[in-house]
DNA sequence: CAAAAGGGCCGCCACT
DNA sequence: TGAGTGGCGGCCCTTT
């Protein structure tokens, strides 16, 4: 991977020529510059970027999307950028189909991501595409980040792959999220995805980087954490609603994931709440 | 804590 | 010939 960073204002003509031979060009986020305020870009930069699209994959992180948009690369294409810049981005680049709800957008040779953290998600996605989920997972571990985040309903938009012979497990994940409180086993999920169990597990791991059961546990933990933080439901109700069945199972999972018990977790987020029973 | 049972995961391989 | 599929078996972890 060849990355060109900090070349937006090349000192004296050097730098941009690197784009001619790059495989992948990553435009990082900017905090200032004309492109953010009035959407203009040096003509030589724009020209170099446009020329590079013939042979290189071009991606942006955070406000880097302004650079791609200013060069006209994103016209009539879906894209993502930092949520704080949604308004000005739309004003400056009305032709870009900006999606404010996704972590990143994979439109084939053009990839854009939301804020810095989503930039990591995008980079891991690219590594997964190029080198498989094993390498991507190792990279994620090295960076101390989750190999995969769901990020709301629409985790990311993939370019509608031509003759998508490959059905995705994505719809089944959405389906599973709707019924987290019910028993869900591999057979049921595979049936929903209309695949054999073997193919389902293989695809699932390829697409998310984790196994179906691990993914389910992670989602259930998130649900339980939410309920502990935002409701006064008793712990066994939380366990049931999150799909753990018993409070004991929730205890074990939560402890394995973040090292604390449900009640401790709740207390750190709702210190002054709860029934008077626990007064001193 | 022990033991048994039940799932899940994944390498392997034959088969489209 | 090559990629995708899915059944099998063994190991592992979780639950009872």
């Amino acid at each position: 991977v060849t990355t060109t960073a900090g070349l937006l204002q090349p000192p004296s003509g050097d730098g941009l020529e690197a784009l001619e031979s790059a495989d992948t060009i990553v435009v990082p986020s900017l905090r200032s510059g004309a492109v953010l305020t009035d959407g203009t870009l040096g003509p030589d930069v724009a020209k170099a970027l446009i020329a590079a699209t013939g042979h290189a994959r071009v991606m942006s992180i955070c406000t880097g999307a302004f650079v791609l948009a200013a060069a006209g690369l994103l016209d009539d294409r879906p894209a993502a950028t930092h949520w704080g810049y949604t308004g000005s981005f739309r004003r400056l680049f009305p032709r870009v189909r900006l999606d404010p709800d996704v972590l990143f957008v994979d439109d084939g040779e053009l990839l854009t991501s939301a804020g810095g953290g989503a930039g990591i998600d995008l980079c891991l996605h690219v590594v997964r595409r190029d080198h498989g989920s094993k390498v991507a997972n190792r990279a994620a571990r090295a960076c101390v980040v989750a190999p995969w985040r769901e990020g709301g309903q629409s985790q990311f938009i993939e370019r509608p792959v031509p003759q998508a012979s490959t059905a995705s497990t994505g719809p089944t994940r959405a389906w599973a999220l709707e019924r987290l409180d019910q028993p869900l086993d591999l057979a049921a999920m595979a049936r929903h995805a209309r695949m054999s169990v073997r193919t389902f597990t293989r695809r699932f791991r390829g697409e998310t980087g984790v196994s179906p059961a691990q993914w389910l546990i992670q989602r259930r933990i998130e649900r339980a954490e939410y309920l502990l933080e935002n409701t006064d439901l008793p712990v066994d109700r939380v366990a049931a609603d999150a799909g753990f069945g018993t409070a004991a199972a929730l205890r074990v999972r939560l402890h394995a994931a973040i090292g604390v018990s449900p009640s401790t977790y709740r207390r750190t987020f709702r210190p002054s709440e709860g029934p008077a029973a626990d007064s001193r």
Side-chain angles (χ1 to χ4, degrees):
Chain A
V1 174
T2 304
T3 298
T4 67
L7 296 182
L8 301 179
Q9 300 299 331
S12 56
D14 64 315
L16 280 182
E17 70 276 4
L19 300 198
E20 294 167 15
S21 57
D23 304 308
T24 297
I25 298 167
V26 182
V27 180
S29 63
L30 328 163
R31 265 155 295 175
S32 60
V35 69
L36 288 185
T37 51
D38 57 22
T40 57
L41 197 60
D44 46 345
V45 177
K47 204 186 302 173
L49 276 174
I50 291 167
T53 54
H55 56 81
R57 174 168 57 191
V58 183
M59 47 198 277
S60 70
I61 295 171
C62 195
T63 47
F66 279 74
V67 174
L68 305 194
L73 300 183
L74 298 179
D75 284 353
D76 303 314
R77 286 171 170 272
T81 191
H82 190 284
W83 58 268
Y85 291 82
T86 301
S88 57
F89 189 93
R90 286 205 165 119
R91 210 170 320 115
L92 293 173
F93 312 112
R95 290 191 59 186
V96 180
R97 306 205 317 264
L98 183 70
D99 188 333
D101 295 325
V102 296
L103 292 177
F104 60 84
V105 172
D106 174 351
D107 196 38
E109 294 307 296
L110 284 165
L111 306 95
T112 50
S113 67
I120 293 178
D121 289 306
L122 174 58
C123 290
L124 287 172
H125 172 72
V126 169
V127 171
R128 181 174 292 115
R129 274 285 177 82
D130 288 355
H131 304 287
S133 56
K134 231 173 210 145
V135 173
N137 287 348
R138 218 182 309 146
R141 244 193 327 275
C143 298
V144 200
V145 298
W148 176 268
R149 289 197 293 159
E150 203 66 26
Q153 319 68 337
S154 41
Q155 131 86 7
F156 65 89
I157 295 181
E158 268 194 273
R159 174 183 48 149
V161 185
Q163 33 63 33
S165 63
T166 50
S168 154
T169 59
T172 299
R173 286 198 296 280
W175 173 81
L177 281 177
E178 299 293 313
R179 35 181 65 60
L180 273 187
D181 56 323
Q182 299 163 37
L184 278 170
D185 63 7
L186 256 182
M189 289 193 283
R191 210 177 312 124
H192 180 270
R194 298 165 183 278
M195 299 174 198
S196 70
V197 170
R198 185 69 189 85
T199 295
F200 181 76
T201 51
R202 185 175 12 227
R203 288 273 194 79
F204 198 102
R205 174 162 273 282
E207 290 173 25
T208 69
V210 299
S211 66
Q214 287 303 307
W215 181 88
L216 255 187
I217 289 169
Q218 288 167 15
R219 301 290 83 73
R220 285 177 163 154
I221 294 245
E222 288 169 5
R223 172 75 57 89
E225 286 173 343
Y226 175 85
L227 293 173
L228 289 170
E229 287 173 35
N230 299 288
T231 74
D232 283 321
L233 293 175
V235 172
D236 53 357
R237 260 301 297 283
V238 170
D241 287 359
F244 286 109
T246 67
L250 169 61
R251 267 191 90 75
V252 170
R253 297 301 189 183
L254 197 65
H255 202 272
I258 58 177
V260 300
S261 69
S263 56
T264 303
Y265 183 86
R266 170 171 272 164
R267 215 171 306 124
T268 59
F269 282 94
R270 302 167 72 77
S272 59
E273 312 232 359
D278 119 329
S279 66
R280 265 198 275 153

